[in-house]
Amino acid sequence: MTDDPGGDGGMLSWDESVFRDEHVFEIDYVPETFKHREGQMQSLTYALRPAVRGSRPLNVMVRGPPGTGKTTAIQKLFSEVTAQTREVQTIRVNCQVNATRYSVFSRLFEGSFDYEPPSSGISFKKLFGQIAEKLVEEDRVLVVALDDVNYLFYENEASDTLYSLLRAHEEHPGAKIGVIVVSSDPTLDVIDELDSRVQSVFRPEDVYFPVYDQPEIVTILRERVKRGFHDDVVAEETLEHVASLTADSGDLRVGIDLLRRAGLNAEMRASRVVEMQDVEKAYETSKYINLSRSLSGLSENERALLEVIATHDGKQAGDVYEAFHEQTDLGYTRYSEIVNKLDQLGLIDADYADIEGRGRSRSLSLSYEKEAILDRLE
């Protein structure tokens, strides 16, 4: 065994990498070329055009499964608007992280003033008032993107948040705010789930992002490979295999994460090329990227319930509650709310069934393999 793996022509030396630019495979990377979403970008541009002229833009509802380019489209659009005019302020709020009305407006305050609001002692009304007054004072239009708005629905905060944004001009004459809501939950009917007071004023343009098909996935991933890896690191056959696994998942982020992990696996072997074995090994982790993302946003009590369900898989809701209550001391109402959220997130299946002697009851079971969830909860 030699000390220097670089002695072999096919082996990397210690200071070499298969990556040209590893950031290309990060989740927050915005590609220079954004393929197969021209129609969606045109619709979004059409909705925001009035803002560039100083008027309130059209509101927009962006829908589509995870990993279909929705967030990238918003980032590209906001970047273009910001480059074109200073009269429009764009702020994207990640609702998985900011899942209450107050935290959404705290983020809007931070985006407006470039510093965070006081951590305590400021009412929502005052917070909102300062944001609106600054808009009027500077005569700017604010465009807010509520990304992953489904998380506001899971916390029953969506109607209040949207009502405040859409009615801003009534309390603060001259305030011009447009709203883009972005939902990654195909089962959520955004309009139907809103209060009637919000439905009456929220009549958005509808922009749908379908799942990418395999030829589209190949062209997108090929562009990432070209920018992210050195030449000849990923063979066409390997790329096609990654695209096939990505198409099966329906989530482009799986393929992007898979390429990065496969590259790291090749480096572990000190290889200059990504082989099929690197892809297969990486897929065992990358296929759960959506699960990992969902789990990362859970509170301590939500994680605790998921662990309890994992050890009581398929049991009735009442039995699960007893174990959960023993562990957390939370009441049944909060328990039921958390069950509904985990169900909406696709982490569990909460199915009603007729139980002899007990009427209708819900049985709770995991939507993923038990080990996959428990490993990621640690």
Side-chain angles (χ1 to χ4, degrees), residues 154 185-188 294 298 302 305-306 309 335-352 362-368:
Y154 303 155
D185 184 347
T187 67
L188 176 69
S294 295
L298 296 184
E302 290 161 355
L305 178 54
L306 202 53
I309 293 172
Y335 160 74
S336 187
E337 288 172 352
I338 297 175
V339 167
N340 289 336
K341 179 177 177 179
L342 296 179
D343 187 23
Q344 288 169 317
L345 280 171
L347 293 170
I348 66 168
D349 295 311
D351 298 321
Y352 281 96
R362 283 200 291 186
S363 64
L364 307 180
S365 56
L366 300 176
S367 302
Y368 292 86

Side-chain angles (χ1 to χ4, degrees), residues 1 20 57 71 77 81 90 99 115 120 136 140 151 188 223 240 244 282 285 303 310 312 315 324 333 335 346 356 358:
M1 182 176 174
R20 192 194 309 271
T71 297
L77 181 75
V81 170
T90 59
Y115 59 86
S120 62
V136 175
R140 297 178 87 188
Y151 282 88
L188 176 69
E223 183 74 20
E240 292 278 357
S244 177
T285 300
R303 295 168 75 89
H312 294 73
K315 296 284 182 67
F324 177 68
T333 301
Y335 160 74
E356 192 173 339
R358 295 171 64 175

Side-chain angles (χ1 to χ4, degrees), residues 125-367:
K125 188 172 182 180
K126 188 173 181 183
L127 186 74
F128 183 20
Q130 290 183 6
I131 297 167
E133 284 164 18
K134 193 170 197 298
L135 279 179
V136 175
E137 185 184 308
E138 297 182 349
D139 194 24
R140 297 178 87 188
V141 180
L142 173 62
V143 182
V144 179
L146 299 175
D147 205 354
D148 277 328
V149 74
N150 32 300
Y151 282 88
L152 290 179
F153 283 93
Y154 303 155
E155 301 296 340
N156 296 315
E157 294 273 349
S159 289
D160 285 345
T161 304
L162 279 169
Y163 187 79
S164 296
L165 288 168
L166 296 167
R167 296 283 192 180
H169 60 283
E170 294 179 3
E171 281 192 50
H172 304 275
K176 290 173 280 195
I177 300 177
V179 182
I180 302 174
V181 298
V182 185
S183 173
S184 294
D185 184 347
T187 67
L188 176 69
D189 191 320
V190 169
I191 303 298
D192 280 0
E193 292 296 326
L194 289 168
D195 291 353
S196 57
R197 67 196 170 115
V198 184
Q199 288 180 3
S200 64
V201 290
F202 186 53
R203 303 182 185 282
E205 300 291 302
D206 188 20
V207 182
Y208 184 69
F209 283 66
V211 172
Y212 292 108
D213 62 28
Q214 188 159 334
E216 290 172 340
I217 290 169
V218 169
T219 59
I220 293 168
L221 294 185
R222 185 181 288 121
E223 183 74 20
R224 296 284 176 118
V225 166
K226 182 180 173 184
R227 292 181 182 277
F229 286 111
H230 290 299
D231 294 344
D232 304 320
V233 169
V234 179
E236 186 66 20
E237 182 187 5
T238 308
L239 175 63
E240 292 278 357
H241 183 53
V242 171
S244 177
L245 293 171
T246 307
D248 289 344
S249 73
D251 187 338
L252 183 66
R253 293 173 306 185
V254 170
I256 293 167
D257 188 69
L258 184 51
L259 284 171
R260 177 172 174 266
R261 290 182 186 277
L264 292 172
N265 288 343
E267 287 192 338
M268 283 288 288
R269 298 187 300 106
S271 172
R272 292 183 181 276
V273 295
V274 172
E275 304 282 4
M276 288 293 188
Q277 61 178 310
D278 301 315
V279 173
E280 293 302 330
K281 183 180 177 185
Y283 185 60
E284 290 308 306
T285 300
S286 295
K287 67 182 178 182
Y288 292 120
I289 190 170
N290 209 26
L291 169 62
S292 298
R293 186 167 176 270
S294 295
L295 294 179
S296 70
L298 296 184
S299 68
E300 190 177 329
N301 288 326
E302 290 161 355
R303 295 168 75 89
L305 178 54
L306 202 53
E307 283 187 24
V308 170
I309 293 172
T311 55
H312 294 73
D313 203 13
K315 296 284 182 67
Q316 299 305 306
D319 299 329
V320 175
Y321 169 67
E322 288 176 17
F324 177 68
H325 176 70
E326 196 174 305
Q327 188 173 322
T328 64
D329 210 31
L330 287 177
Y332 196 86
T333 301
R334 182 60 188 138
Y335 160 74
S336 187
E337 288 172 352
I338 297 175
V339 167
N340 289 336
K341 179 177 177 179
L342 296 179
D343 187 23
Q344 288 169 317
L345 280 171
L347 293 170
I348 66 168
D349 295 311
D351 298 321
Y352 281 96
D354 291 314
I355 308 298
E356 192 173 339
R358 295 171 64 175
R360 286 179 65 74
S361 176
R362 283 200 291 186
S363 64
L364 307 180
S365 56
L366 300 176
S367 302

Side-chain angles (χ1 to χ4, degrees), residues 49-75:
R49 189 164 281 133
V52 178
R53 297 194 292 261
S55 301
R56 190 178 297 111
L58 302 176
N59 297 314
V60 185
M61 178 168 61
V62 173
R63 299 179 299 117
T68 50
K70 301 182 299 300
T71 297
T72 300
I74 298 299
Q75 290 172 314

